[in-house]
Amino acid sequence: MKILVTGGAGYIGSHSCIELAASNHQVVILDNLCNASLVSIARAEKLAGTRFPLHRIDLRDGEAVHRLFEREHFDAVVHFAALKAVGESVEKPLDYYDNNVVGSIHLLQAMRAHGCKRLVFSSSATVYGNPDSVPVNEDAPLRVTNPYGRTKLVTEDMIRDACAADPQFSAILLRYFNPVGAHPSGEIGEDPRGIPNNLMPYICQVAVGRRDHLGVFGGDWPTVDGTGVRDYIHVVDLARAHADAINALEYARHPATTLNLGTGQGISVLQLVRAFEQARVRAFEQASGRKVPCEIVARRAGDVAAVYADPRRAKEVIGWQAARGVDEMCVDAWRWQSRNPEGYGAA
Ligand code: NAD
Ligand code: UDP
């Protein structure tokens, strides 16, 4: 199929373009590069051995999105493009609604106008908020706690409504848990701008010497060691799920099916730090290398103790399950970070 990948220059999008190409799909990228670099596309093309033509379009520009669908026929869309920083969304909620919700409306309108009937959407485990129990399955109550999460839930609802209104329209909504790691080549990976909000990129930047220690947000959570527990998932496994979802849509209708993407394993902050240190020693023989000094600091506003997935539905519906463990996540994250200490910026 010919697939439009919105946000295809970004962290998860660039890995997913490679997996879609490996599944013999033709990939076209739409990205405004507000949080990505052209270098990621060039490197992903090299890894995939094929071209990923880029349309530098902002989804908020409905006319431009429309014109693209007029010029090219797409069989399906994988929709990653969004702003994703929770804290920033609290400060600038309207920017988030504008970018993530209005952008998605333009995309859905263009798809409807041009008869494109298959969609895979990037949602997030953030829609579960503080779950009553773990592991969380897809039927758990939805309780978003910040504007970013609300943009995801509103977009999920719009897609469900679009599916209900058009029996031919088919969509898979993927709720990611905590994507980490990088392509095993070390050529593409996560390149956050400024101070990382997320744990793994922060650990990597401490390890590479860009920051001197990790602040651990709370040491008194009701968890195995008092630190927060999450379900980390290797970005290549996550990327493969998009190819599996697209392939499932090629042959069957999925009236707005929602799937969790996680490993089902909960890992604490300190367990991840130790795993990272050990993986580094084992894989890179950097026994005398820099440790990751940690300091317990105050809890972060809005954080929750433990969230991890029940990922069984993804296996039943699209035949997907995570294959890579925490060791591989850490080795690949470090390979990317150590070869690209300044991310794509220095390339
Ligand atoms: P990313 O910022 O690396 O990628 C998003 C891409 O979308 C970027 O290349 C950016 O330039 C582009 N973009 C943003 N707004 C756009 C617009 N209006 N028009 C065109 N392009 C636009 O983020 P990512 O980590 O790869 O996340 C991809 C998707 O997965 C997002 O929807 C995000 O909300 C979702 N998600 C990410 C995580 C995570 O931890 N990384 C977790 C759950 C869900
Ligand atoms: N965390 C931390 N220090 C940091 C960043 C994150 O202790 O600098 C903790 C955070 O409190 C949570 C876990 O690491 O328990 C994962 O945080 P992240 O922001 O990566 O994911 P999310 O909380 O959105 O699931």
Side-chain angles (χ1 to χ4, degrees), residues 82-121:
L83 300 176
K84 62 168 183 177
V86 171
E88 187 184 58
S89 80
V90 175
E91 283 156 30
K92 303 177 185 169
L94 298 183
D95 288 359
Y96 272 66
Y97 284 103
D98 189 25
N99 198 80
N100 296 1
V101 178
V102 174
S104 299
I105 291 175
H106 291 153
L107 182 66
L108 288 166
Q109 285 172 331
M111 290 178 72
R112 191 186 53 192
H114 298 280
C116 180
K117 303 279 191 185
R118 299 181 185 95
L119 175 65
V120 173
F121 172 61

Short mmCIF file of all heavy atoms in Angstrom, two decimals, residues 82-121:
data_model
loop_
_atom_site.label_atom_id
_atom_site.label_comp_id
_atom_site.label_asym_id
_atom_site.label_seq_id
_atom_site.Cartn_x
_atom_site.Cartn_y
_atom_site.Cartn_z
N ALA A 82 2.20 15.18 16.28
CA ALA A 82 1.56 15.81 17.43
C ALA A 82 2.64 16.47 18.27
O ALA A 82 3.82 16.12 18.16
CB ALA A 82 0.82 14.77 18.27
N LEU A 83 2.21 17.41 19.12
CA LEU A 83 3.09 17.90 20.17
C LEU A 83 2.88 16.96 21.36
O LEU A 83 1.76 16.49 21.58
CB LEU A 83 2.73 19.34 20.54
CG LEU A 83 2.84 20.37 19.40
CD1 LEU A 83 2.36 21.74 19.88
CD2 LEU A 83 4.28 20.43 18.89
N LYS A 84 3.93 16.72 22.15
CA LYS A 84 3.81 15.62 23.13
C LYS A 84 4.33 15.92 24.53
O LYS A 84 4.44 15.00 25.34
CB LYS A 84 4.54 14.40 22.57
CG LYS A 84 6.02 14.63 22.37
CD LYS A 84 6.80 13.35 22.10
CE LYS A 84 8.27 13.66 21.98
NZ LYS A 84 9.12 12.50 21.81
N ALA A 85 4.66 17.17 24.83
CA ALA A 85 5.23 17.47 26.15
C ALA A 85 4.11 17.84 27.14
O ALA A 85 3.44 18.86 26.99
CB ALA A 85 6.25 18.59 26.05
N VAL A 86 3.94 16.98 28.15
CA VAL A 86 2.83 17.16 29.09
C VAL A 86 2.90 18.52 29.78
O VAL A 86 1.91 19.26 29.82
CB VAL A 86 2.86 16.02 30.14
CG1 VAL A 86 1.85 16.29 31.25
CG2 VAL A 86 2.57 14.68 29.47
N GLY A 87 4.08 18.88 30.29
CA GLY A 87 4.22 20.14 31.03
C GLY A 87 3.91 21.34 30.15
O GLY A 87 3.18 22.26 30.55
N GLU A 88 4.44 21.32 28.93
CA GLU A 88 4.19 22.42 27.99
C GLU A 88 2.69 22.53 27.68
O GLU A 88 2.16 23.62 27.49
CB GLU A 88 4.98 22.16 26.71
CG GLU A 88 4.96 23.30 25.72
CD GLU A 88 5.68 22.95 24.42
OE1 GLU A 88 5.30 21.96 23.76
OE2 GLU A 88 6.63 23.66 24.07
N SER A 89 2.02 21.36 27.64
CA SER A 89 0.59 21.38 27.30
C SER A 89 -0.22 22.06 28.41
O SER A 89 -1.29 22.61 28.15
CB SER A 89 0.06 19.97 27.03
OG SER A 89 -0.22 19.26 28.22
N VAL A 90 0.29 22.01 29.64
CA VAL A 90 -0.40 22.68 30.74
C VAL A 90 -0.22 24.20 30.59
O VAL A 90 -1.15 24.98 30.83
CB VAL A 90 0.14 22.20 32.11
CG1 VAL A 90 -0.47 22.98 33.27
CG2 VAL A 90 -0.09 20.69 32.27
N GLU A 91 0.98 24.60 30.13
CA GLU A 91 1.25 26.04 29.97
C GLU A 91 0.59 26.62 28.72
O GLU A 91 0.20 27.78 28.71
CB GLU A 91 2.77 26.27 29.86
CG GLU A 91 3.49 26.18 31.17
CD GLU A 91 4.96 25.82 30.98
OE1 GLU A 91 5.53 26.17 29.92
OE2 GLU A 91 5.52 25.15 31.87
N LYS A 92 0.55 25.81 27.65
CA LYS A 92 0.02 26.32 26.37
C LYS A 92 -1.05 25.39 25.83
O LYS A 92 -0.90 24.78 24.76
CB LYS A 92 1.16 26.38 25.34
CG LYS A 92 2.35 27.23 25.78
CD LYS A 92 3.42 27.15 24.69
CE LYS A 92 4.69 27.86 25.09
NZ LYS A 92 5.79 27.56 24.17
N PRO A 93 -2.16 25.26 26.59
CA PRO A 93 -3.17 24.26 26.19
C PRO A 93 -3.72 24.50 24.78
O PRO A 93 -3.93 23.55 24.03
CB PRO A 93 -4.26 24.40 27.25
CG PRO A 93 -4.00 25.71 27.92
CD PRO A 93 -2.54 25.98 27.81
N LEU A 94 -3.93 25.78 24.43
CA LEU A 94 -4.57 26.03 23.12
C LEU A 94 -3.66 25.62 21.97
O LEU A 94 -4.13 25.14 20.93
CB LEU A 94 -4.99 27.48 23.00
CG LEU A 94 -6.03 27.91 24.03
CD1 LEU A 94 -6.47 29.35 23.80
CD2 LEU A 94 -7.25 26.98 24.01
N ASP A 95 -2.34 25.79 22.16
CA ASP A 95 -1.40 25.34 21.12
C ASP A 95 -1.55 23.83 20.91
O ASP A 95 -1.45 23.33 19.79
CB ASP A 95 0.05 25.61 21.52
CG ASP A 95 0.38 27.09 21.48
OD1 ASP A 95 -0.51 27.89 21.13
OD2 ASP A 95 1.53 27.45 21.82
N TYR A 96 -1.77 23.11 22.01
CA TYR A 96 -1.89 21.66 21.92
C TYR A 96 -3.19 21.26 21.24
O TYR A 96 -3.22 20.38 20.39
CB TYR A 96 -1.72 21.00 23.31
CG TYR A 96 -0.24 20.72 23.55
CD1 TYR A 96 0.66 21.78 23.68
CD2 TYR A 96 0.26 19.43 23.54
CE1 TYR A 96 2.02 21.55 23.83
CE2 TYR A 96 1.62 19.19 23.69
CZ TYR A 96 2.49 20.24 23.83
OH TYR A 96 3.83 20.00 23.95
N TYR A 97 -4.30 21.93 21.61
CA TYR A 97 -5.56 21.61 20.94
C TYR A 97 -5.47 21.97 19.46
O TYR A 97 -5.94 21.24 18.59
CB TYR A 97 -6.74 22.35 21.60
CG TYR A 97 -7.14 21.70 22.91
CD1 TYR A 97 -6.77 22.26 24.12
CD2 TYR A 97 -7.87 20.52 22.92
CE1 TYR A 97 -7.12 21.66 25.33
CE2 TYR A 97 -8.23 19.91 24.12
CZ TYR A 97 -7.85 20.49 25.32
OH TYR A 97 -8.19 19.88 26.50
N ASP A 98 -4.84 23.11 19.17
CA ASP A 98 -4.73 23.55 17.78
C ASP A 98 -3.92 22.54 16.97
O ASP A 98 -4.35 22.04 15.93
CB ASP A 98 -4.04 24.93 17.78
CG ASP A 98 -4.07 25.58 16.41
OD1 ASP A 98 -4.98 25.25 15.61
OD2 ASP A 98 -3.19 26.40 16.13
N ASN A 99 -2.73 22.23 17.48
CA ASN A 99 -1.85 21.34 16.73
C ASN A 99 -2.42 19.92 16.64
O ASN A 99 -2.52 19.35 15.55
CB ASN A 99 -0.47 21.30 17.40
CG ASN A 99 0.60 20.78 16.47
OD1 ASN A 99 1.10 21.51 15.63
ND2 ASN A 99 0.93 19.51 16.59
N ASN A 100 -2.78 19.37 17.79
CA ASN A 100 -3.12 17.94 17.82
C ASN A 100 -4.55 17.66 17.40
O ASN A 100 -4.81 16.66 16.72
CB ASN A 100 -2.89 17.37 19.23
CG ASN A 100 -1.42 17.43 19.64
OD1 ASN A 100 -0.57 17.92 18.90
ND2 ASN A 100 -1.11 16.95 20.83
N VAL A 101 -5.49 18.51 17.80
CA VAL A 101 -6.89 18.24 17.48
C VAL A 101 -7.24 18.85 16.11
O VAL A 101 -7.74 18.14 15.23
CB VAL A 101 -7.83 18.76 18.59
CG1 VAL A 101 -9.28 18.49 18.20
CG2 VAL A 101 -7.50 18.07 19.92
N VAL A 102 -6.94 20.13 15.93
CA VAL A 102 -7.27 20.75 14.63
C VAL A 102 -6.49 20.04 13.51
O VAL A 102 -7.04 19.74 12.45
CB VAL A 102 -6.97 22.28 14.65
CG1 VAL A 102 -7.16 22.88 13.27
CG2 VAL A 102 -7.88 22.96 15.67
N GLY A 103 -5.21 19.73 13.78
CA GLY A 103 -4.42 18.99 12.79
C GLY A 103 -5.08 17.67 12.42
O GLY A 103 -5.17 17.31 11.24
N SER A 104 -5.58 16.96 13.42
CA SER A 104 -6.23 15.67 13.16
C SER A 104 -7.54 15.84 12.40
O SER A 104 -7.90 15.01 11.56
CB SER A 104 -6.47 14.91 14.47
OG SER A 104 -5.24 14.65 15.12
N ILE A 105 -8.26 16.92 12.70
CA ILE A 105 -9.50 17.19 11.96
C ILE A 105 -9.19 17.38 10.47
O ILE A 105 -9.84 16.79 9.60
CB ILE A 105 -10.24 18.44 12.52
CG1 ILE A 105 -10.78 18.14 13.92
CG2 ILE A 105 -11.38 18.87 11.59
CD1 ILE A 105 -11.42 19.33 14.62
N HIS A 106 -8.15 18.19 10.18
CA HIS A 106 -7.80 18.42 8.78
C HIS A 106 -7.43 17.11 8.09
O HIS A 106 -7.81 16.86 6.95
CB HIS A 106 -6.64 19.41 8.67
CG HIS A 106 -7.03 20.80 9.07
ND1 HIS A 106 -6.14 21.71 9.58
CD2 HIS A 106 -8.24 21.42 9.06
CE1 HIS A 106 -6.78 22.84 9.85
NE2 HIS A 106 -8.04 22.68 9.54
N LEU A 107 -6.71 16.29 8.81
CA LEU A 107 -6.30 15.01 8.23
C LEU A 107 -7.53 14.14 7.94
O LEU A 107 -7.68 13.58 6.83
CB LEU A 107 -5.34 14.30 9.20
CG LEU A 107 -4.78 12.97 8.73
CD1 LEU A 107 -3.86 13.16 7.52
CD2 LEU A 107 -3.99 12.30 9.87
N LEU A 108 -8.43 14.03 8.92
CA LEU A 108 -9.63 13.20 8.74
C LEU A 108 -10.51 13.75 7.62
O LEU A 108 -11.11 12.99 6.85
CB LEU A 108 -10.41 13.11 10.06
CG LEU A 108 -9.75 12.24 11.14
CD1 LEU A 108 -10.41 12.48 12.50
CD2 LEU A 108 -9.85 10.76 10.78
N GLN A 109 -10.58 15.08 7.53
CA GLN A 109 -11.39 15.69 6.46
C GLN A 109 -10.80 15.35 5.08
O GLN A 109 -11.53 15.01 4.15
CB GLN A 109 -11.46 17.21 6.63
CG GLN A 109 -12.39 17.62 7.76
CD GLN A 109 -12.32 19.11 8.06
OE1 GLN A 109 -11.29 19.74 7.86
NE2 GLN A 109 -13.42 19.65 8.57
N ALA A 110 -9.48 15.46 4.98
CA ALA A 110 -8.83 15.17 3.69
C ALA A 110 -9.01 13.69 3.35
O ALA A 110 -9.27 13.34 2.19
CB ALA A 110 -7.35 15.54 3.74
N MET A 111 -8.89 12.82 4.35
CA MET A 111 -9.08 11.39 4.10
C MET A 111 -10.50 11.13 3.60
O MET A 111 -10.71 10.40 2.63
CB MET A 111 -8.83 10.57 5.38
CG MET A 111 -7.37 10.54 5.81
SD MET A 111 -7.11 9.62 7.34
CE MET A 111 -7.36 7.92 6.76
N ARG A 112 -11.47 11.78 4.25
CA ARG A 112 -12.86 11.55 3.85
C ARG A 112 -13.10 12.06 2.43
O ARG A 112 -13.68 11.38 1.59
CB ARG A 112 -13.82 12.24 4.83
CG ARG A 112 -15.27 11.81 4.61
CD ARG A 112 -16.22 12.58 5.47
NE ARG A 112 -16.02 14.02 5.28
CZ ARG A 112 -16.55 14.96 6.07
NH1 ARG A 112 -17.26 14.62 7.11
NH2 ARG A 112 -16.33 16.23 5.83
N ALA A 113 -12.58 13.26 2.16
CA ALA A 113 -12.82 13.87 0.85
C ALA A 113 -12.20 13.05 -0.28
O ALA A 113 -12.67 13.07 -1.41
CB ALA A 113 -12.26 15.29 0.83
N HIS A 114 -11.12 12.33 0.03
CA HIS A 114 -10.39 11.63 -1.04
C HIS A 114 -10.48 10.11 -0.91
O HIS A 114 -9.68 9.40 -1.53
CB HIS A 114 -8.94 12.12 -1.07
CG HIS A 114 -8.87 13.59 -1.37
ND1 HIS A 114 -8.99 14.10 -2.65
CD2 HIS A 114 -8.78 14.66 -0.55
CE1 HIS A 114 -8.94 15.42 -2.60
NE2 HIS A 114 -8.82 15.79 -1.34
N GLY A 115 -11.42 9.64 -0.11
CA GLY A 115 -11.70 8.20 -0.08
C GLY A 115 -10.60 7.35 0.51
O GLY A 115 -10.46 6.18 0.17
N CYS A 116 -9.81 7.94 1.42
CA CYS A 116 -8.77 7.14 2.11
C CYS A 116 -9.40 6.60 3.39
O CYS A 116 -9.83 7.37 4.25
CB CYS A 116 -7.56 8.02 2.40
SG CYS A 116 -6.25 7.13 3.23
N LYS A 117 -9.46 5.28 3.53
CA LYS A 117 -10.34 4.67 4.53
C LYS A 117 -9.63 3.91 5.64
O LYS A 117 -10.28 3.20 6.40
CB LYS A 117 -11.29 3.68 3.83
CG LYS A 117 -12.12 4.27 2.71
CD LYS A 117 -13.31 5.00 3.25
CE LYS A 117 -14.28 5.37 2.14
NZ LYS A 117 -15.39 6.18 2.63
N ARG A 118 -8.30 4.01 5.68
CA ARG A 118 -7.59 3.24 6.71
C ARG A 118 -6.66 4.15 7.50
O ARG A 118 -5.86 4.89 6.90
CB ARG A 118 -6.74 2.13 6.07
CG ARG A 118 -7.52 1.12 5.27
CD ARG A 118 -6.54 0.09 4.73
NE ARG A 118 -7.17 -0.87 3.85
CZ ARG A 118 -7.19 -0.75 2.52
NH1 ARG A 118 -6.62 0.29 1.92
NH2 ARG A 118 -7.76 -1.68 1.78
N LEU A 119 -6.75 4.04 8.83
CA LEU A 119 -5.97 4.94 9.68
C LEU A 119 -5.40 4.19 10.88
O LEU A 119 -6.10 3.41 11.53
CB LEU A 119 -6.88 6.07 10.19
CG LEU A 119 -6.28 7.05 11.19
CD1 LEU A 119 -5.15 7.86 10.57
CD2 LEU A 119 -7.37 8.01 11.70
N VAL A 120 -4.12 4.44 11.16
CA VAL A 120 -3.51 3.99 12.42
C VAL A 120 -3.12 5.25 13.18
O VAL A 120 -2.45 6.13 12.63
CB VAL A 120 -2.28 3.09 12.16
CG1 VAL A 120 -1.56 2.76 13.47
CG2 VAL A 120 -2.70 1.80 11.46
N PHE A 121 -3.53 5.34 14.45
CA PHE A 121 -3.33 6.58 15.21
C PHE A 121 -2.49 6.32 16.46
O PHE A 121 -2.69 5.34 17.17
CB PHE A 121 -4.70 7.16 15.61
CG PHE A 121 -4.60 8.32 16.56
CD1 PHE A 121 -3.93 9.48 16.19
CD2 PHE A 121 -5.16 8.24 17.84
CE1 PHE A 121 -3.82 10.55 17.08
CE2 PHE A 121 -5.06 9.31 18.73
CZ PHE A 121 -4.39 10.46 18.34
#
